[in-house]
Amino acid sequence: VKKESRINEYKPRNQFVYLAILPAALIMSIVLVVPILFNIIGSFTNMDLNVPLNKSNFVGAYNYISILKDTNFWTIVLRNLWWTIAVLSFAFIIGLVLAIFLKDQKFGKFFLNIWIVPWAMPEITTAIVWVILLSPDFGPFNFLLKNLHIISTPIPWLSSGRLALWGVIITAVWKFFPFNMAMIYSGLQTFPEELHDAAKVDGVNAWQFFWHLQLPWIRPVVSIVSLLGFIWVFNWFSLIYAMTRGGPGGSTDILAIYIYKRAIEYFHTSEAATLSVLVLLFMIPFIILFVRYNISKKEN
Amino acid sequence: MKKISWSFLSSVIILTIIISFTLIGCKATETTVTTAVETTAAVTTAVETTAAETTAVETTAAVEHKSLLTEEPRVQTIEFASVVDVNDPSLPYGTARKEIADNYMKLHPNVTIKFTYIPYADFFPQMVLRVAAGNPPAIMQHGYATSEFVKSGLLVDMSSYLEQSGWSKDDFWPGIWDLTTYNDKQYGVPFTLDTRTLQYNADLFAKAGINPPETWDDLIKNAKTFKDATGANIIGTPSSLVWEFITPLVFSNGGQWIIQDDQGLWKANAESTEVLEAVAKAKELSDSGALIPGWLGDDYTVIMNLFYQGKIASWINGPWQFSTYDTEKKAGTFNFDVGQALVPMMKVHASVSGGWSWYTMKSPSNAWDTDVCWDIINYYLQPENLAKGWFDSIPPTKDYSKVIAANDNRYDIVLKTLENSQFPLKVLPNFWEMLDTIVKYSTQAIQGTKTIDQSMKELDVELQKLLDQGENASIKEAKGL
């Protein structure tokens, strides 16, 4: 009964609604569904620069098997996960701390506006700025560390196979934390003043106040930020490509770059299509979670 | 009933409005899309212009050439896509290229030559996307993808055009001729060749009292003395190390990344002694401090600026830099003399070549004649036209290269270097992927993230896989192996 009533709740009262959304639905189908379908079809063929899709042969699951058997692919998947988790975690922690700090400050909104700048900055500009900042030849970071006698030789942040991923993670965190900060800040703004006062009367300390009251209050925001963040960061292309192009020695290669290289630089279109499908399959649970979460939020 | 009618009526009216807007929108979108595509092309290509629009270029008399055209061609536009911005006044060969096009159009008023400039970094992806979209240019400047484009049936076989116009293999430098040869047919016309030499800051070497290094061991031996005396690193190299660093070492040690066996099949050769020794030498160079710290992250522009600033004293680079040196020195960017020497060696002096060729693309909609495309290319190859503008690096024809060398002594060493200069790999299918793979595993070996033996073993496996998927598959199919 509950399910039925829920369906009825969303059932349009007027058939006109279907007509009204038809043009948009058609356009969305053409620009979204058709390319995805072509991509999925292409992943089962041997299409290439030399073999367009209409002249290609069906190869079954060959592309999938060869990719899944490739150790390079798994190395890149693990690196992609590591990159995503590292960026999300650091950006969230920094965003949370700053949001809590700014909430009760007199000039909180002012600093919020200042610290949101990295998020608003174009990615290519961010990449160029950070390549300069981290440069061992003329970067201010190395200059500072050297003058403070913390290091004797400059650190090759982006050119060492061991450090390059950290170099791009630092940049991504700098770029992404303002989004976390702004969302959490706006979540905290809705925290009821009465609860705050009641907590004060009950003698709740700062940690208890954060852990038992504030954090549960902003949990919906945290969930949405984490979900969206996962989808964005996992597929982040431009920043890494502009900074390192996946190098040195493949140490910053993640799936988005790997797919681009295979499709555009090496002409292996069907392989790139297969990789895209695999990424899509991996993303689907997160997308469903996101959509379901939004629906349940609406219901509540 | 009345309510339903009103609902129905309002639905019909609103739907009609939506459909009308959609249709108008479609029409507008059609225009907008076209404009957007053009705009995108304009943005990515930065400059797109017809040579006819030129006003600033001083035009000279059109050069007569032996044309194969028997009659005036039909009205057509020939789009010429290249990495040269013909509107950039700082590129003398660019403006000359436009001037030559103007002169050609005077000879053939029905033909309009439209230049499309695509920056180097975007060039290959842009071309792939345009080809895939069925919208190739008529003439394309390209390199290293001959086999792929031939297999996709996009290129015109130019062998007979070259032969009929009196050009033969002997007229061109061998490396660049091979670049456009596939299955014994000539699918493009070589236009620019380059090689690498050691270009150095003569003042810093004089200050250190050290001669430019003859061998890599000399370079390592003198690195510390040089740094102490001048504060500069003795050498720098861009991170695209396959061209400027690791491959010259391999070649100078008598090695090759890939070799051909008796049956004509290609074999990866990364585990050969010559390659292993060369990679070990590269690691030694990196570890010795001869190179600047973090050199593996520095791109070409960074290294160039460090050279201008005197922070590195030498780099391995091509003759395309000569005109920039002249301009920058004049502008006061640096004030030292740039010297030039052969690339240091292990066993013999060797260097790495690169180059660009011009290809005629098949027209998907019969929009242009390949005869006209060839006629334009041939017009550019005439010595008088080559003489008008310097087309970057080394001209493709031996005769004209000697003319250039006679006027600029920097080309003495360049032409000497050409005697033992090769492309980093034979240009086979998967060329770029093989190069990237070499960079990847060499970097791992040099940085010590893997041992030299391990990384070269993995490189060997990866290269062999690419060879087997590419050229070896075709050879086996052709020979029934």
Side-chain angles (χ1 to χ4, degrees), chain B residues 10 88 109 162 173 186 226 241 277 292 298 351 390 395 443 475:
Chain B
S10 60
D88 183 348
L162 279 155
W173 292 103
Q186 203 63 24
F226 194 93
L241 74 173
E277 283 174 359
I292 47 171
D298 290 332
S351 189
W390 184 237
T443 304
I475 294 171

Side-chain angles (χ1 to χ4, degrees), chain A residues 50 137 159 161 262 266-268, chain B residues 128 148 294 297-298 433 436 447:
Chain A
N50 308 321
D137 309 315
S159 48
R262 302 212 76 69
Y266 307 149
F267 316 135
H268 302 316
Chain B
V128 171
E148 265 105 354
D298 290 332
E433 194 172 358
D436 280 357
Q447 291 204 324

